[in-house]
Amino acid sequence: MEPRALALADGWTPGQARGDGGLRGDATCDIIRTMRERHPCVYMLASGRLGTIYVGVTSNLVGRIIQHRDGTFGGFTEQYAVHRLVWYDMADTMEAAIAAEKRLKRWHRDWKIELIERANPHWNDLALGLGLPPLA
């Protein structure tokens, strides 16, 4: 099955992903304001271009990215230095975000790479657009 077909299940579409890194002006402010509030989100972190990928879900993306970078929880992202936000998508409900996360985790690695590169071809750290400082 193609990645797009999987993504369209349950009404969730990667085409609505906010991972393009090209937002400017009011759109950026709206996203930063939205992300500081609590809204369901599924996201992918990477150790670098074509590096290790981590798929997660949260109701506070900015807060969760800070936790990953600080090593608050340890585990996979700390062990493999997976701290670069390369893709994310907002969901209407936490249940929808969790379902999307579970689907993405079942995807082949190549499909995840295709989804990331469709929206963020250079694997830029999208957390910068959310007001977080660059990675050290």
Side-chain angles (χ1 to χ4, degrees), residues 40-123:
C41 180
V42 61
Y43 62 95
M44 284 193 271
L45 303 177
S47 59
R49 189 170 193 286
L50 301 175
T52 304
I53 297 171
Y54 172 84
V55 177
V57 65
T58 185
S59 63
N60 179 353
L61 183 58
V62 171
R64 187 69 175 124
I65 298 304
I66 291 169
Q67 291 172 336
H68 281 297
R69 290 181 177 185
D70 290 346
T72 302
F73 299 115
F76 184 89
T77 58
E78 184 176 22
Q79 180 179 355
Y80 294 99
V82 182
H83 300 120
R84 183 185 303 196
L85 178 65
V86 293
W87 181 89
Y88 65 95
D89 190 27
M90 304 295 289
D92 292 330
T93 65
M94 198 63 195
E95 292 78 15
I98 291 167
E101 177 200 30
K102 288 179 180 180
R103 277 194 303 278
L104 278 173
K105 285 186 174 192
R106 287 192 306 262
W107 279 19
H108 296 279
R109 176 179 167 78
D110 290 345
W111 296 353
K112 293 173 192 171
I113 290 170
E114 180 183 331
L115 180 61
I116 292 165
E117 290 189 341
R118 195 178 316 146
N120 184 5
H122 301 291
W123 294 57

